[in-house]
CSV table of all heavy atoms in Angstrom, one decimal:
chain,number,residue,atom,x,y,z
A,34,ILE,N,114.1,106.9,60.8
A,34,ILE,CA,113.3,106.8,62.0
A,34,ILE,C,114.3,106.6,63.2
A,34,ILE,O,114.1,107.1,64.3
A,34,ILE,CB,112.4,105.6,61.9
A,34,ILE,CG1,111.3,105.9,60.9
A,34,ILE,CG2,111.7,105.2,63.2
A,34,ILE,CD1,110.4,104.7,60.5
A,35,ILE,N,115.3,105.8,63.0
A,35,ILE,CA,116.3,105.6,64.1
A,35,ILE,C,117.0,106.9,64.5
A,35,ILE,O,117.2,107.2,65.6
A,35,ILE,CB,117.4,104.5,63.7
A,35,ILE,CG1,116.7,103.1,63.6
A,35,ILE,CG2,118.5,104.5,64.7
A,35,ILE,CD1,117.6,102.1,63.0
A,36,LEU,N,117.3,107.7,63.4
A,36,LEU,CA,118.0,108.9,63.7
A,36,LEU,C,117.1,109.9,64.5
A,36,LEU,O,117.6,110.5,65.4
A,36,LEU,CB,118.4,109.6,62.4
A,36,LEU,CG,119.1,111.0,62.4
A,36,LEU,CD1,120.4,110.9,63.2
A,36,LEU,CD2,119.3,111.6,61.1
A,37,ILE,N,115.8,109.9,64.1
A,37,ILE,CA,114.9,110.8,64.9
A,37,ILE,C,114.8,110.4,66.3
A,37,ILE,O,114.8,111.2,67.2
A,37,ILE,CB,113.5,110.7,64.2
A,37,ILE,CG1,113.5,111.4,62.8
A,37,ILE,CG2,112.5,111.4,65.1
A,37,ILE,CD1,113.9,112.9,62.9
A,38,GLY,N,114.8,109.0,66.5
A,38,GLY,CA,114.7,108.5,67.9
A,38,GLY,C,115.9,108.9,68.7
A,38,GLY,O,115.8,109.2,69.9
A,39,VAL,N,117.1,108.7,68.1
A,39,VAL,CA,118.4,109.1,68.8
A,39,VAL,C,118.4,110.6,69.1
A,39,VAL,O,118.8,110.9,70.3
A,39,VAL,CB,119.6,108.7,67.9
A,39,VAL,CG1,120.9,109.3,68.5
A,39,VAL,CG2,119.7,107.2,67.7
A,40,LEU,N,118.0,111.4,68.2
A,40,LEU,CA,118.1,112.9,68.4
A,40,LEU,C,117.1,113.2,69.5
A,40,LEU,O,117.3,114.1,70.4
A,40,LEU,CB,117.7,113.6,67.2
A,40,LEU,CG,118.8,113.6,66.1
A,40,LEU,CD1,118.3,114.3,64.8
A,40,LEU,CD2,120.1,114.2,66.5
A,41,ASP,N,115.9,112.5,69.6
A,41,ASP,CA,114.9,112.8,70.6
A,41,ASP,C,115.4,112.4,72.0
A,41,ASP,O,115.1,113.0,73.0
A,41,ASP,CB,113.6,112.1,70.3
A,41,ASP,CG,112.5,112.4,71.3
A,41,ASP,OD1,112.2,113.6,71.4
A,41,ASP,OD2,112.1,111.5,72.0
A,42,SER,N,116.2,111.3,72.0
A,42,SER,CA,116.7,110.8,73.3
A,42,SER,C,117.9,111.7,73.9
A,42,SER,O,118.2,111.7,75.0
A,42,SER,CB,117.2,109.4,73.2
A,42,SER,OG,118.3,109.3,72.3
A,43,ILE,N,118.6,112.4,73.0
A,43,ILE,CA,119.7,113.2,73.4
A,43,ILE,C,119.2,114.6,73.7
A,43,ILE,O,118.9,115.4,72.9
A,43,ILE,CB,120.8,113.3,72.3
A,43,ILE,CG1,121.3,111.9,71.9
A,43,ILE,CG2,121.9,114.2,72.7
A,43,ILE,CD1,122.3,111.9,70.8
A,44,LYS,N,119.0,114.9,75.0
A,44,LYS,CA,118.5,116.2,75.4
A,44,LYS,C,119.6,117.0,76.0
A,44,LYS,O,120.2,116.6,77.0
A,44,LYS,CB,117.4,116.0,76.5
A,44,LYS,CG,116.2,115.2,75.9
A,44,LYS,CD,115.1,115.0,77.0
A,44,LYS,CE,113.9,114.2,76.4
A,44,LYS,NZ,112.9,114.0,77.4
A,45,ILE,N,119.9,118.1,75.3
A,45,ILE,CA,121.0,118.9,75.7
A,45,ILE,C,120.5,119.8,76.8
A,45,ILE,O,119.6,120.6,76.7
A,45,ILE,CB,121.5,119.7,74.5
A,45,ILE,CG1,122.0,118.8,73.4
A,45,ILE,CG2,122.6,120.7,74.9
A,45,ILE,CD1,122.4,119.5,72.1
A,46,THR,N,121.2,119.8,78.0
A,46,THR,CA,120.9,120.6,79.1
A,46,THR,C,121.7,121.8,79.1
A,46,THR,O,123.0,121.7,79.0
A,46,THR,CB,121.1,119.8,80.4
A,46,THR,OG1,120.2,118.7,80.4
A,46,THR,CG2,120.7,120.7,81.6
A,47,ARG,N,121.1,123.0,79.2
A,47,ARG,CA,121.8,124.2,79.3
A,47,ARG,C,122.0,124.6,80.8
A,47,ARG,O,121.1,124.4,81.6
A,47,ARG,CB,121.1,125.4,78.5
A,47,ARG,CG,121.0,125.1,77.1
A,47,ARG,CD,120.4,126.3,76.3
A,47,ARG,NE,121.3,127.4,76.4
A,47,ARG,CZ,121.1,128.6,75.8
A,47,ARG,NH1,120.0,128.8,75.1
A,47,ARG,NH2,121.9,129.6,76.0
A,48,TYR,N,123.2,125.1,81.1
A,48,TYR,CA,123.5,125.4,82.5
A,48,TYR,C,123.7,126.9,82.7
A,48,TYR,O,124.2,127.6,81.8
A,48,TYR,CB,124.7,124.6,83.0
A,48,TYR,CG,124.5,123.2,83.1
A,48,TYR,CD1,124.6,122.3,82.0
A,48,TYR,CD2,124.1,122.6,84.3
A,48,TYR,CE1,124.4,120.9,82.1
A,48,TYR,CE2,123.9,121.2,84.5
A,48,TYR,CZ,124.1,120.4,83.4
A,48,TYR,OH,123.9,119.1,83.5
A,49,GLU,N,123.3,127.4,83.9
A,49,GLU,CA,123.6,128.8,84.2
A,49,GLU,C,124.5,128.7,85.5
A,49,GLU,O,124.6,127.7,86.2
A,49,GLU,CB,122.3,129.5,84.6
A,49,GLU,CG,121.5,129.7,83.3
A,49,GLU,CD,120.3,130.6,83.6
A,49,GLU,OE1,120.2,131.2,84.8
A,49,GLU,OE2,119.4,130.7,82.8
A,50,MET,N,125.2,129.8,85.7
A,50,MET,CA,126.1,129.9,86.8
A,50,MET,C,125.5,130.6,88.0
A,50,MET,O,124.9,131.7,87.9
A,50,MET,CB,127.4,130.7,86.5
A,50,MET,CG,128.5,130.7,87.5
A,50,MET,SD,129.1,129.0,87.9
A,50,MET,CE,130.2,128.8,86.4
A,51,PHE,N,125.5,130.0,89.2
A,51,PHE,CA,125.0,130.5,90.4
A,51,PHE,C,126.1,131.0,91.3
A,51,PHE,O,127.1,130.2,91.5
A,51,PHE,CB,124.1,129.5,91.1
A,51,PHE,CG,123.7,130.0,92.5
A,51,PHE,CD1,122.6,130.7,92.7
A,51,PHE,CD2,124.5,129.6,93.6
A,51,PHE,CE1,122.2,131.2,94.0
A,51,PHE,CE2,124.1,130.0,94.9
A,51,PHE,CZ,123.0,130.8,95.1
A,52,THR,N,126.0,132.2,91.8
A,52,THR,CA,127.0,132.7,92.7
A,52,THR,C,126.3,133.0,94.1
A,52,THR,O,125.3,133.6,94.1
A,52,THR,CB,127.7,134.0,92.2
A,52,THR,OG1,128.3,133.8,91.0
A,52,THR,CG2,128.7,134.5,93.2
A,53,SER,N,126.8,132.4,95.2
A,53,SER,CA,126.2,132.6,96.5
A,53,SER,C,126.1,134.1,96.8
A,53,SER,O,127.0,134.9,96.4
A,53,SER,CB,126.9,131.8,97.5
A,53,SER,OG,128.2,132.4,97.8
A,54,ARG,N,125.2,134.5,97.6
A,54,ARG,CA,125.0,135.9,98.1
A,54,ARG,C,126.2,136.3,98.9
A,54,ARG,O,126.5,137.5,98.9
A,54,ARG,CB,123.7,136.0,98.9
A,54,ARG,CG,122.5,135.9,98.0
A,54,ARG,CD,121.2,135.9,98.8
A,54,ARG,NE,120.0,136.0,97.9
A,54,ARG,CZ,118.8,135.9,98.3
A,54,ARG,NH1,118.5,135.8,99.7
A,54,ARG,NH2,117.8,136.0,97.5
A,55,GLN,N,126.9,135.4,99.6
A,55,GLN,CA,128.1,135.8,100.3
A,55,GLN,C,129.3,135.9,99.4
A,55,GLN,O,130.4,136.3,99.9
A,55,GLN,CB,128.3,134.7,101.4
A,55,GLN,CG,127.3,134.7,102.5
A,55,GLN,CD,126.1,133.9,102.1
A,55,GLN,OE1,126.0,133.3,101.1
A,55,GLN,NE2,125.0,134.0,103.0
A,56,GLY,N,129.2,135.4,98.2
A,56,GLY,CA,130.3,135.5,97.2
A,56,GLY,C,131.4,134.5,97.5
A,56,GLY,O,132.5,134.7,97.1
A,57,ASP,N,131.1,133.4,98.2
A,57,ASP,CA,132.1,132.5,98.6
A,57,ASP,C,132.2,131.3,97.6
A,57,ASP,O,133.3,130.6,97.6
A,57,ASP,CB,131.9,131.9,100.0
A,57,ASP,CG,130.6,131.4,100.3
A,57,ASP,OD1,129.6,131.8,99.6
A,57,ASP,OD2,130.4,130.5,101.2
A,58,PHE,N,131.2,131.0,96.8
A,58,PHE,CA,131.3,129.9,95.9
A,58,PHE,C,130.4,130.1,94.7
A,58,PHE,O,129.5,130.9,94.7
A,58,PHE,CB,130.9,128.6,96.6
A,58,PHE,CG,129.5,128.4,96.9
A,58,PHE,CD1,128.5,128.0,96.0
A,58,PHE,CD2,129.0,128.7,98.2
A,58,PHE,CE1,127.2,127.9,96.4
A,58,PHE,CE2,127.7,128.6,98.6
A,58,PHE,CZ,126.8,128.2,97.6
A,59,GLN,N,130.7,129.3,93.6
A,59,GLN,CA,129.9,129.3,92.4
A,59,GLN,C,129.6,127.9,92.1
A,59,GLN,O,130.3,126.9,92.4
A,59,GLN,CB,130.6,129.9,91.2
A,59,GLN,CG,130.6,131.4,91.2
A,59,GLN,CD,131.2,132.0,89.9
A,59,GLN,OE1,132.0,131.3,89.3
A,59,GLN,NE2,130.8,133.2,89.5
A,60,ILE,N,128.5,127.7,91.4
A,60,ILE,CA,128.1,126.3,90.9
A,60,ILE,C,127.2,126.4,89.7
A,60,ILE,O,126.4,127.4,89.6
A,60,ILE,CB,127.4,125.5,92.0
A,60,ILE,CG1,127.2,124.0,91.6
A,60,ILE,CG2,126.1,126.1,92.4
A,60,ILE,CD1,126.8,123.1,92.7
A,61,LYS,N,127.3,125.5,88.7
A,61,LYS,CA,126.5,125.5,87.6
A,61,LYS,C,125.2,124.7,87.9
A,61,LYS,O,125.3,123.7,88.7
A,61,LYS,CB,127.2,124.9,86.4
A,61,LYS,CG,128.3,125.7,85.8
A,61,LYS,CD,128.9,125.0,84.6
A,61,LYS,CE,130.0,125.9,83.9
A,61,LYS,NZ,130.6,125.2,82.8
A,62,TYR,N,124.1,125.1,87.3
A,62,TYR,CA,122.8,124.3,87.5
A,62,TYR,C,122.0,124.4,86.3
A,62,TYR,O,122.1,125.3,85.5
A,62,TYR,CB,122.1,125.0,88.7
A,62,TYR,CG,121.5,126.3,88.4
A,62,TYR,CD1,120.2,126.5,88.0
A,62,TYR,CD2,122.3,127.5,88.6
A,62,TYR,CE1,119.6,127.7,87.7
A,62,TYR,CE2,121.7,128.7,88.3
A,62,TYR,CZ,120.4,128.8,87.9
A,62,TYR,OH,119.9,130.1,87.6
A,63,PRO,N,121.1,123.4,86.0
A,63,PRO,CA,120.3,123.4,84.9
A,63,PRO,C,119.4,124.6,84.8
A,63,PRO,O,118.8,125.0,85.8
A,63,PRO,CB,119.4,122.1,85.1
A,63,PRO,CG,120.3,121.2,85.9
A,63,PRO,CD,121.0,122.1,86.8
A,64,SER,N,119.4,125.3,83.7
A,64,SER,CA,118.8,126.6,83.6
A,64,SER,C,117.3,126.6,83.8
A,64,SER,O,116.7,127.6,84.2
A,64,SER,CB,119.0,127.2,82.2
A,64,SER,OG,118.5,126.3,81.2
A,65,TYR,N,116.6,125.4,83.7
A,65,TYR,CA,115.2,125.3,83.9
A,65,TYR,C,114.8,124.8,85.3
A,65,TYR,O,113.6,124.6,85.6
A,65,TYR,CB,114.6,124.4,82.8
A,65,TYR,CG,115.1,123.0,82.8
A,65,TYR,CD1,114.5,122.0,83.5
A,65,TYR,CD2,116.3,122.7,82.1
A,65,TYR,CE1,115.0,120.7,83.5
A,65,TYR,CE2,116.8,121.4,82.0
A,65,TYR,CZ,116.2,120.4,82.7
A,65,TYR,OH,116.7,119.1,82.7
A,66,TRP,N,115.8,124.6,86.2
A,66,TRP,CA,115.5,124.3,87.5
A,66,TRP,C,115.2,125.5,88.4
A,66,TRP,O,115.7,126.6,88.1
A,66,TRP,CB,116.7,123.5,88.2
A,66,TRP,CG,116.8,122.1,87.7
A,66,TRP,CD1,116.3,121.6,86.5
A,66,TRP,CD2,117.4,121.0,88.4
A,66,TRP,NE1,116.7,120.2,86.4
A,66,TRP,CE2,117.3,119.9,87.6
A,66,TRP,CE3,118.1,120.9,89.6
A,66,TRP,CZ2,117.9,118.7,87.9
A,66,TRP,CZ3,118.6,119.7,90.0
A,66,TRP,CH2,118.5,118.6,89.2
A,67,LYS,N,114.4,125.4,89.4
A,67,LYS,CA,114.0,126.5,90.3
A,67,LYS,C,115.1,126.7,91.3
A,67,LYS,O,115.6,125.7,91.9
A,67,LYS,CB,112.7,126.2,91.0
A,67,LYS,CG,112.2,127.3,91.9
A,67,LYS,CD,110.9,127.0,92.5
A,67,LYS,CE,110.4,128.1,93.4
A,67,LYS,NZ,109.1,127.7,94.0
A,68,VAL,N,115.5,128.0,91.5
A,68,VAL,CA,116.5,128.3,92.5
A,68,VAL,C,115.8,128.9,93.8
A,68,VAL,O,115.0,129.8,93.7
A,68,VAL,CB,117.5,129.3,92.0
A,68,VAL,CG1,118.5,129.7,93.0
A,68,VAL,CG2,118.2,128.8,90.7
A,69,VAL,N,116.1,128.3,94.9
A,69,VAL,CA,115.5,128.7,96.2
A,69,VAL,C,116.6,129.1,97.1
A,69,VAL,O,117.3,128.2,97.6
A,69,VAL,CB,114.6,127.6,96.8
A,69,VAL,CG1,113.9,128.2,98.1
A,69,VAL,CG2,113.5,127.2,95.8
A,70,HIS,N,116.7,130.4,97.5
A,70,HIS,CA,117.7,130.8,98.4
A,70,HIS,C,117.3,130.5,99.9
A,70,HIS,O,116.1,130.6,100.2
A,70,HIS,CB,117.9,132.3,98.3
A,70,HIS,CG,118.6,132.7,97.0
A,70,HIS,ND1,119.9,132.8,96.8
A,70,HIS,CD2,118.0,133.1,95.8
A,70,HIS,CE1,120.2,133.2,95.6
A,70,HIS,NE2,119.0,133.4,94.9
A,71,ASN,N,118.2,130.1,100.7
A,71,ASN,CA,117.9,129.8,102.1
A,71,ASN,C,116.7,129.0,102.3
A,71,ASN,O,115.7,129.5,103.0
A,71,ASN,CB,117.9,131.1,102.9
A,71,ASN,CG,119.1,132.0,102.7
A,71,ASN,OD1,120.2,131.4,102.8
A,71,ASN,ND2,118.9,133.3,102.5
A,72,PRO,N,116.6,127.9,101.7
A,72,PRO,CA,115.3,127.1,101.8
A,72,PRO,C,115.0,126.7,103.2
A,72,PRO,O,116.0,126.3,103.9
A,72,PRO,CB,115.6,125.8,100.9
A,72,PRO,CG,117.1,125.7,100.9
A,72,PRO,CD,117.6,127.1,100.9
A,73,GLY,N,113.8,126.7,103.6
A,73,GLY,CA,113.4,126.3,104.9
A,73,GLY,C,113.2,124.9,105.0
A,73,GLY,O,112.1,124.4,105.2
A,74,LEU,N,114.3,124.1,104.9
A,74,LEU,CA,114.2,122.7,105.0
A,74,LEU,C,114.1,122.2,106.5
A,74,LEU,O,114.9,122.7,107.3
A,74,LEU,CB,115.5,122.0,104.4
A,74,LEU,CG,115.7,122.4,102.9
A,74,LEU,CD1,117.1,121.7,102.5
A,74,LEU,CD2,114.6,121.9,102.0
A,75,LYS,N,113.2,121.3,106.7
A,75,LYS,CA,112.9,120.9,108.1
A,75,LYS,C,114.2,120.2,108.7
A,75,LYS,O,114.7,119.3,108.1
A,75,LYS,CB,111.8,119.9,108.1
A,75,LYS,CG,111.3,119.5,109.5
A,75,LYS,CD,110.1,118.6,109.4
A,75,LYS,CE,109.7,118.1,110.8
A,75,LYS,NZ,108.5,117.2,110.8
């Protein structure tokens, strides 16, 4: 039971590589997160 609880608490996050449209930088991000280019932040 303890082992099942430990395995459930260890959530492995997979990352993907994002490259900017200008090609000036790269960054890894969680694969299940939404990517929004040029967000219209107030």
Side-chain angles (χ1 to χ4, degrees):
I34 293 174
I35 291 172
L36 178 61
I37 292 298
V39 170
L40 291 175
D41 183 62
S42 65
I43 301 175
K44 298 180 180 178
I45 299 175
T46 300
R47 299 187 63 177
Y48 290 85
E49 293 186 6
M50 186 66 76
F51 171 87
T52 302
S53 69
R54 289 175 173 174
Q55 291 81 6
D57 53 335
F58 69 84
Q59 281 187 335
I60 187 172
K61 290 181 179 179
Y62 69 96
S64 58
Y65 57 94
W66 285 24
K67 183 179 180 180
V68 179
V69 180
H70 291 272
N71 303 316
L74 301 177
K75 186 177 180 181

